[in-house]
Amino acid sequence: MGGILLWARRPFGYTAAPGLLMVSALGGVVFAVAAAFDNLSGGIQTDLSVVVVHLVISAASLAVLAWFISAPHRAAAKIRKPRLRPSAPSGAT
């Protein structure tokens, strides 16, 4: 839903997107840590490929979050400040 709102350029989409990306990133990291803890403690065995996929999704979410947060700064840097023409010397008519 947040992605649809963002795609439609609705204000709530811009509000929800960073939170959803953060949840996606942290959820993958928490899952990977829990799976590693289970593997080490002798609990349910999780394949390494599953852990790697979750870490890749987390890294991608963090990358998109960083890009999303830095977008206003990049847009502000692209705006050129108007150049003032040199003024005529004083006393000129």
Side-chain angles (χ1 to χ4, degrees):
M1 188 68 180
I4 293 171
L5 291 172
L6 186 62
W7 184 44
R9 297 183 182 229
R10 304 282 182 182
F12 187 69
Y14 289 99
T15 304
L20 293 172
L21 289 168
M22 183 63 77
V23 167
S24 175
L26 293 178
V29 171
V30 168
F31 176 82
V33 169
F37 182 73
D38 282 344
N39 287 344
L40 293 175
S41 67
I44 300 171
Q45 295 297 314
T46 306
D47 289 337
L48 181 62
S49 61
V50 174
V51 174
V52 169
V53 166
H54 279 82
L55 289 176
V56 167
I57 291 170
S58 291
S61 295
L62 283 174
V64 172
L65 179 63
W67 175 80
F68 187 79
I69 290 174
S70 68
H73 300 293
R74 288 189 317 243
K78 286 184 180 179
I79 296 174
R80 290 186 170 196
K81 294 181 181 175
R83 292 177 132 185
L84 299 177
R85 289 181 284 170
S87 62
S90 60
T93 55

